[in-house]
Amino acid sequence: MFSGVKAGLVSADVLRKEQQELRKHERSNKHLEEESRHSKTVFRDKSGRKRDLEQERLEQRQKEEAEAEREEQYARWGKGLAQDRQQQQNVEDAIKEMQKPLARYIDDQDLDRMLREQEREGDPMAEFIKKRKAKENKEKKEKPRYNGPAPPLNRFNIWPGHRWDGVDRSNGFEQQRFARIANKRAVQELAYKWSVEDM
């Protein structure tokens, strides 16, 4: 039988012997049972090597953190870095303003600076300040520009470079294009005038 005892009609002696053998067999396997009770499960991959689950979990966590960081960075880029900086600056300014007292007095430097930076219509000194700022900006190094006679128009309104010698080397396409546009506009205007002539 499956349990290891004889099947059928057996005597009491045979049964006693079989039970003793079963107990002996159980005692000999008892230490194996104790060892297996406290042992950890061994996980293996398809090739039969042992898997280190802690290491795999750590790698998975690092991978997820890197992915989350990358997603956050793409979300920040998608929103716009300049807009993000501007929003951060607005929040900092708002916090700074909240920490100030409600009543502002004449000796408040921030209020004074803000009022000085505002441009008011009809301010006689505003033009002088603009000229002075323009002069300061001019003193800064800027790229040279073409200073010769007026260049021919082009469809992109791009000014020629400062080394241009003033010679038009085009094949005439730009002039033809502008002539077509002017002709079309003149025909449309003439057609409109003709259609409303008898009104």
Side-chain angles (χ1 to χ4, degrees):
M1 285 178 54
F2 181 72
S3 61
V5 295
K6 290 184 180 177
L9 195 59
V10 289
S11 66
D13 292 336
V14 174
L15 272 175
R16 233 178 269 117
K17 283 183 184 176
E18 284 178 351
Q19 285 180 348
Q20 286 174 355
E21 285 177 20
L22 280 172
R23 283 190 201 116
K24 245 189 239 177
H25 185 65
E26 283 178 4
R27 276 191 228 115
S28 64
N29 290 339
K30 191 108 176 166
H31 70 283
L32 293 175
E33 188 178 314
E34 288 296 323
E35 286 177 12
S36 64
R37 183 174 290 140
H38 301 295
S39 67
K40 289 186 177 178
T41 307
V42 177
F43 293 95
R44 298 183 183 272
D45 59 7
K46 289 181 180 178
S47 62
R49 290 181 302 199
K50 287 184 180 178
R51 289 174 51 190
D52 188 3
L53 294 180
E54 288 296 322
Q55 184 67 24
E56 287 178 15
R57 283 192 199 107
L58 182 65
E59 288 173 2
Q60 182 68 21
R61 195 176 308 121
Q62 288 173 349
K63 197 182 210 181
E64 287 172 358
E65 287 173 1
E67 183 72 25
E69 187 177 322
R70 198 173 82 214
E71 289 293 326
E72 180 185 337
Q73 191 174 26
Y74 278 122
R76 202 171 45 227
W77 287 347
K79 194 166 93 173
L81 297 175
Q83 289 84 349
D84 194 34
R85 280 194 296 269
Q86 181 64 38
Q87 184 179 8
Q88 188 68 26
Q89 183 66 36
N90 291 345
V91 168
E92 289 173 7
D93 291 345
I95 290 172
K96 193 168 142 186
E97 290 296 324
M98 282 190 283
Q99 291 172 349
K100 292 181 182 177
L102 185 62
R104 293 181 126 183
Y105 298 103
I106 196 97
D107 60 342
D108 189 0
Q109 284 92 11
D110 291 335
L111 178 64
D112 187 46
R113 190 179 331 105
M114 182 189 74
L115 292 174
R116 284 176 189 266
E117 288 173 357
Q118 283 181 354
E119 287 188 21
R120 292 175 188 80
E121 194 173 330
D123 186 4
M125 286 296 287
E127 192 173 325
F128 173 72
I129 292 171
K130 280 183 187 175
K131 285 181 183 176
R132 193 175 72 194
K133 284 184 180 176
K135 187 177 180 185
E136 288 173 3
N137 289 340
K138 203 178 242 186
E139 290 174 2
K140 293 178 184 174
K141 185 163 182 148
E142 65 179 50
K143 294 181 180 179
R145 283 188 60 145
Y146 171 70
N147 291 329
L153 289 174
N154 60 35
R155 63 196 141 143
F156 305 113
N157 292 326
I158 299 174
W159 200 256
H162 70 281
R163 292 192 178 95
W164 187 52
D165 59 358
V167 178
D168 185 12
R169 295 179 176 83
S170 70
N171 60 3
F173 172 78
E174 302 278 342
Q175 285 77 17
Q176 289 173 3
R177 181 177 182 277
F178 285 122
R180 273 196 313 269
I181 291 171
N183 190 19
K184 189 175 182 182
R185 194 173 293 141
V187 167
Q188 284 177 347
E189 190 175 327
L190 190 64
Y192 173 72
K193 285 181 180 177
W194 185 79
S195 70
V196 296
E197 184 179 29
D198 57 342
M199 288 186 175

